[in-house]
Amino acid sequence: GENVEQHPSTLSVQEGDSAVIKCTYSDSASNYFPWYKQELGKRPQLIIDIRSNVGEKKDQRIAVTLNKTAKHFSLHITETQPEDSAVYFCAEGGGFKTIFGAGTRLFVKA
Amino acid sequence: DAGVIQSPRHEVTEMGQEVTLRCKPISGHDYLFWYRQTMMRGLELLIYFNNNVPIDDSGMPEDRFSAKMPNASFSTLKIQPSEPRDSAVYFCASRGLADTGELFFGEGSRLTVL
């Protein structure tokens, strides 16, 4: 069945540094890879996604890369700010359902 | 649209009691999902519906859990009888068939079973 592994579980960076979160998936048929951000006590919200026909997508300070051969995808946040502190979830959506990774708790220290 | 609406936001109950969580998806969305979030297990997919029909309930933990979607604008998740290990935040989410794939989550229902 579908499975998404996410690392690290916790990440602490200095404000202004970059943060990278990595995920691997098992279902070769997966073709949609979203990333969600969940602030404390709030709902998860989509921040960026990528489909299998592209290798990279960027939106201001965040970017995602996808390696379909290796079944890896990553989230990159540059110039981190304190408001980036949250839990980030990768996910895969090969069919109609979305399966989430375990989450990465990001702390950005001012 | 007001987004996905869930109720109650918080529920505290005693072990053995029945719990009913409610969800109103975004109008026009064909898919509705129930997720459970805990520190230990993260975001688990419990069940999802397409056009009010349950498609995959393989994530429902056991027979104490049941979900229904009697019409396009309403779904319930019921736990009977509830147990302390059911304590979690339960999220409902919806998406449209023609959409990008983005899930729109409700604010969640925080359940505490004593």
Side-chain angles (χ1 to χ4, degrees):
Chain A
E2 307 92 343
N3 186 43
V4 181
E5 300 282 339
Q6 183 170 350
H7 301 279
S9 57
T10 306
L11 180 60
S12 184
V13 300
Q14 262 327 112
E15 182 178 2
D17 288 350
S18 295
V20 180
I21 302 170
K22 299 182 179 182
C23 290
T24 60
Y25 62 96
S26 58
D27 187 356
S28 299
S30 296
N31 58 11
Y32 175 64
F33 305 94
W35 287 86
Y36 286 76
K37 176 183 180 182
Q38 186 178 27
E39 297 178 352
L40 189 62
K42 301 287 183 63
R43 74 190 86 185
Q45 292 188 288
L46 181 75
I47 55 171
I48 195 167
D49 56 16
I50 191 168
R51 293 198 177 271
S52 58
N53 56 346
V54 298
E56 185 173 358
K57 182 176 178 181
K58 192 172 181 180
D59 182 4
Q60 298 183 348
R61 294 187 298 107
I62 59 174
V64 290
T65 58
L66 171 64
N67 182 330
K68 278 219 78 175
T69 303
K71 297 183 188 173
H72 291 172
F73 58 114
S74 301
L75 177 72
H76 304 252
I77 307 174
T78 58
E79 301 171 31
T80 52
Q81 301 167 4
E83 53 263 38
D84 295 329
S85 296
V87 178
Y88 291 81
F89 293 94
C90 63
E92 65 96 0
F96 293 105
K97 61 183 180 181
T98 301
I99 304 299
F100 288 88
T104 296
R105 188 170 295 276
L106 174 64
F107 296 96
V108 180
K109 296 176 287 187
Chain B
D1 200 308
V4 176
I5 299 173
Q6 290 187 245
S7 66
R9 291 292 314 280
H10 302 273
E11 173 102 3
V12 180
T13 191
E14 292 189 347
M15 183 173 63
Q17 297 298 305
E18 179 178 294
V19 173
T20 299
L21 308 178
R22 298 172 177 81
C23 176
K24 181 181 186 305
I26 291 172
S27 177
H29 278 188
D30 303 282
Y31 288 85
L32 183 140
F33 304 80
W34 283 100
Y35 286 89
R36 177 172 69 175
Q37 185 174 35
T38 60
M39 287 292 291
M40 292 298 295
R41 302 175 70 91
L43 271 166
E44 299 175 274
L45 176 63
L46 301 178
I47 185 171
Y48 78 96
F49 296 82
N50 175 221
N51 291 325
N52 315 335
V53 176
I55 303 300
D56 184 348
D57 65 354
S58 59
M60 296 285 263
E62 46 195 278
D63 292 345
R64 297 184 297 105
F65 285 69
S66 62
K68 294 182 179 179
M69 192 165 185
N71 57 64
S73 59
F74 184 65
S75 177
T76 60
L77 178 67
K78 189 171 292 188
I79 309 172
Q80 166 63 18
S82 58
E83 296 182 3
R85 59 193 168 120
D86 301 331
S87 298
V89 179
Y90 291 81
F91 284 102
C92 175
S94 70
R95 58 161 282 200
L97 176 62
D99 288 351
T100 58
E102 178 178 0
L103 291 180
F104 294 85
F105 283 84
E107 292 185 294
S109 294
R110 180 174 295 277
L111 172 65
T112 302
V113 183
L114 303 174

